[in-house]
């Protein structure tokens, strides 16, 4: 129903499902998704937090919670969500990218670069992860190494403007 833009009806159905089974994490997660999509962030946070409390192994609920925390500037909580996702699915890039973004926003570029590099171990075709490592290495003063990551990003996505701009800055720094 939510995909059909029948939001009030969707929320009514979810409320009934939650009333009938308040212990079902998936109902809380889906309600959080609907609320987040309609701009009701605080209510969505409550739903996502409830979902992860009810099912600490619910990867999707942790991902939704972390994403929303990142959007709202709650980077410490987004960082914890990234850590939890890594515990649940260590072979996937999602948790490492979430943790990297949170660390980046918290002003820890070296740690963020490590997380983005870990994301690349399972997702080599992600130009954003390649760019993110390069950008963080630039902030750490590692221009030569940053250039390698930016070049790989541009091989995957030649028109990526931020990578092109950062690459230009790195080349200037290196005197090339």
């Amino acid at each position: 129903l939510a995909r059909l833009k029948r939001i009030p009806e969707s929320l009514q159905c979810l409320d009934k499902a939650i009333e009938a089974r308040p212990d079902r994490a998936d109902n809380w997660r889906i309600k959080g998704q609907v609320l987040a999509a309609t701009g009701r962030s605080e209510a969505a946070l409550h739903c996502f937090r409830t979902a992860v409390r009810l099912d600490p192994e619910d990867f999707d609920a942790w991902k939704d919670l972390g994403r929303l925390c990142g959007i709202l500037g709650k980077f410490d909580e987004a960082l914890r969500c990234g850590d939890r996702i890594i515990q649940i699915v260590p072979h996937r890039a999602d948790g490492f990218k979430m943790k990297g973004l949170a660390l980046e926003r918290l002003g820890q570029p070296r740690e963020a670069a490590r997380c983005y590099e870990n994301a690349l171990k399972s997702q080599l075709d992600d130009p954003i992860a390649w760019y993110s490592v390069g950008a963080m290495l630039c902030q750490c003063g590692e221009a030569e190494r940053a250039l390698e990551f930016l070049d790989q990003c541009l091989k995957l996505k030649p028109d990526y403007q931020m990578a092109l701009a950062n690459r230009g800055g790195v080349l200037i720094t290196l005197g090339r």
Side-chain angles (χ1 to χ4, degrees):
L1 293 173
R3 289 188 184 110
L4 298 173
K5 305 294 184 209
R6 293 166 59 183
I7 303 300
E9 189 177 350
S10 174
L11 289 172
Q12 286 175 349
C13 289
L14 288 163
D15 285 341
K16 287 179 183 176
I18 289 169
E19 185 179 320
R21 291 290 310 271
D23 59 328
R24 293 278 312 259
D26 56 334
N27 290 333
W28 286 99
R29 179 178 43 80
I30 294 166
K31 183 177 180 181
Q33 291 169 343
V34 172
L35 290 167
T38 59
R40 295 181 239 174
S41 300
E42 290 303 319
L45 278 176
H46 169 73
C47 290
F48 294 143
R49 287 173 178 150
T50 301
V52 299
R53 182 178 46 76
L54 291 171
D55 183 358
E57 301 300 313
D58 186 340
F59 161 79
D60 291 317
W62 283 106
K63 190 172 173 181
D64 289 339
L65 176 59
R67 184 180 300 125
L68 185 56
C69 286
I71 290 168
L72 297 175
K74 298 175 182 289
F75 302 120
D76 289 324
E77 188 170 358
L79 183 61
R80 288 190 298 275
C81 291
D83 282 333
R84 185 66 186 124
I85 291 168
I86 293 166
Q87 290 174 350
I88 296 169
V89 285
H91 58 282
R92 292 196 43 181
D94 304 89
F96 292 107
K97 290 192 292 190
M98 181 177 294
K99 187 174 177 177
L101 183 59
L103 288 165
E104 183 178 338
R105 297 295 192 263
L106 289 168
Q108 300 177 40
R110 189 164 311 284
E111 292 79 8
R114 284 189 201 107
C115 287
Y116 291 130
E117 281 188 89
N118 282 326
L120 287 170
K121 291 176 183 175
S122 64
Q123 200 171 6
L124 284 171
D125 62 343
D126 182 354
I128 307 300
W130 286 99
Y131 165 76
S132 297
V133 176
M136 294 300 97
L137 292 173
C138 284
Q139 288 186 29
C140 295
E142 297 183 37
E144 285 286 350
R145 196 157 167 249
L147 190 59
E148 295 171 23
F149 285 90
L150 295 171
D151 285 345
Q152 183 60 38
C153 169
L154 291 166
K155 284 180 188 173
L156 295 168
K157 190 173 180 179
D159 61 341
Y160 190 27
Q161 295 299 310
M162 290 173 47
L164 288 166
N166 270 280
R167 186 177 191 281
V170 169
L171 291 172
I172 291 169
T173 299
L174 295 171
R176 297 185 192 165

